[in-house]
Amino acid sequence: MWCRGFLQQMTRHMSTGRQAGILFDVDGVLLRGGSVIPAAQRAFQKLLDKNNNFLFPVVFVTNASSCQRHQKAQQLSHLLDVQIAPDQVVLSHSPLRTMKSFHDKCVLVSGQGPVTDIANTLGFQKVLSIEQLKEKHPLLDMVEHKKRPKVASSQLPTLPKIEAIILFGEPIRWETNLQLLIDVLLTNGSPGCEYESHFSAQLPVLACNMDLMWMAEAPSPRFGHGMFMLCLESVYRKLTGLELQYQALLGKPSLLTYQYAEHLLRLQSPTCKLTTIYAVGDNLTTDIYGANLYNRYLAQQHAAMTTSTKYVAQGTGSQMTTVVPEAELVSAAAQCHSILVCTGVYNPRSPLPSNPGSTITEKVFHGHRDLVLEPDLVEPSHVVEDVEAAVDLLLQREDCMIRDL
């Protein structure tokens, strides 16, 4: 009865042309490894109408990168017992679809899973994997002493010059990936050659998923791709005296990721105006930082409505490429509320940034090197116990907004 009554209110609300949308993080919010958090199943029952359709537009925004959207949608549908479409999923690499200026370049991809297939699906036409590079140049990988490399067969095809690097996610053999990525960077895309003595322009590096840690079944968070990036940056700086530069940093908390997610929210209800976004997550330096950064961006955009052209947000990075204007990615929402749950990376026993004694300081900050630590960006709009409480909160807020119409 409660759900039907709320649906009637929502129908009346939607008839006014205004609507809210929800962005759910996955690991630590809905899942712990391969197990569903019990609160998630209860939460989704409250978000469905009698026909098992979502009351609101819903998109799942995860920094996972070792699969494709349809695979993640199938996994979530099975685990949550809710029908989820691929267009409701944003992975950390999803915004690479919009970076068309790189699609015809030869790119080296690092990560695990079907990274070559993923890159092809995203639009990249010339893709080279770390494994292919290692096969062609076996003498480059010398860390494992018991397995001395064999000389590559002369029948192997000559590899093209590498023009860019894509870091999809944490690889399996870090030492191999670190060595070969450094070789590519210090030879300007020709790893079979000696290192260059003078470093001029660095090869473009596109990195997905900046999570330093993430929550699985273990009692404490596990290393994420951000930790691998930290190692790569340290090695590069140690060898060259320079900072590794990124052409783009994608995944949460980048602005482009949130713009892409909002675009998918609007596609689910094209006749309504998306006014408010609720972003539910468990990580202060990715989920909360990203949602608050996007909320700030939305406020700035609405304050500058007099400009003739809106550009796609460039995201977060040290050297960002301006993405061409794309009308479908222009933000339309007025605000983005961040909701922090206590079932993942965030430890409820730790004080929030605004509280005295907070552990988030300039010396202990788990965000990426190129993120600027600002206390208000890591302070959530709301803190709740779990995702069910987050859903209860937003249902209550939207009910109040409906009554005010």
Side-chain angles (χ1 to χ4, degrees), residues 51 106 295 306 395:
N51 296 318
C106 178
N295 186 58
T306 55
L395 289 177

Side-chain angles (χ1 to χ4, degrees), residues 148-376:
R148 290 295 179 185
K150 299 177 182 179
V151 178
S153 170
S154 59
Q155 297 179 352
L156 289 175
T158 302
L159 300 180
K161 181 180 175 65
I162 296 168
E163 299 172 278
I165 293 172
I166 301 178
L167 305 177
F168 275 117
E170 61 271 21
I172 295 176
R173 295 189 61 190
W174 285 30
E175 75 282 359
T176 296
N177 282 260
L178 286 171
Q179 177 69 77
L180 269 62
L181 288 169
I182 288 294
D183 288 335
V184 171
L185 287 166
L186 299 192
T187 60
N188 197 30
S190 302
C193 302
E194 293 183 7
Y195 290 171
E196 294 186 353
S197 56
H198 299 287
F199 304 105
S200 52
Q202 180 204 295
L203 278 182
V205 179
L206 315 176
C208 310
N209 182 3
M210 294 168 271
D211 284 352
L212 189 73
M213 296 185 290
W214 66 288
M215 203 67 186
E217 293 95 338
S220 298
R222 303 293 85 196
F223 290 170
H225 188 217
M227 196 70 75
F228 176 78
M229 292 168 61
L230 178 63
C231 294
L232 180 63
E233 293 158 10
S234 299
V235 173
Y236 185 84
R237 182 173 60 251
K238 190 71 172 179
L239 293 178
T240 67
L242 304 171
E243 295 291 345
L244 180 67
Q245 304 296 320
Y246 294 96
Q247 196 77 15
L249 291 170
L250 303 173
K252 295 175 294 185
S254 77
L255 290 175
L256 184 55
T257 293
Y258 284 86
Q259 275 197 307
Y260 192 81
E262 183 189 332
H263 166 60
L264 295 185
L265 286 174
R266 295 200 309 270
L267 287 179
Q268 295 176 38
S269 189
T271 60
C272 296
K273 180 181 179 181
L274 184 68
T275 57
T276 304
I277 297 174
Y278 295 93
V280 185
D282 70 305
N283 193 323
L284 286 170
T285 54
T286 54
D287 303 311
I288 303 307
Y289 188 109
N292 290 340
L293 184 67
Y294 194 54
N295 186 58
R296 177 188 291 180
Y297 168 76
L298 292 174
Q300 293 172 343
Q301 176 175 289
H302 281 269
M305 290 295 289
T306 55
T307 58
S308 58
T309 304
K310 297 178 183 178
Y311 285 85
V312 172
Q314 295 178 358
T316 303
S318 49
Q319 285 189 344
M320 299 303 301
T321 306
T322 302
V323 183
V324 295
E326 295 192 29
E328 66 270 19
L329 290 185
V330 171
S331 303
Q335 55 190 341
C336 180
H337 296 291
S338 57
I339 304 179
L340 177 67
V341 300
C342 303
T343 53
V345 171
Y346 172 67
N347 185 345
R349 294 183 296 276
S350 300
L352 288 168
S354 58
N355 298 333
S358 169
T359 57
I360 298 184
T361 66
E362 291 185 3
K363 292 185 177 180
V364 184
F365 177 50
H366 290 173
H368 186 262
R369 177 201 70 189
D370 293 349
L371 300 179
V372 178
L373 173 59
E374 298 181 40
D376 61 324

Side-chain angles (χ1 to χ4, degrees), residues 385-397:
E385 181 179 355
D386 52 36
V387 67
E388 183 184 20
V391 167
D392 288 340
L393 172 67
L394 69 90
L395 289 177
Q396 182 182 20
R397 285 181 57 87

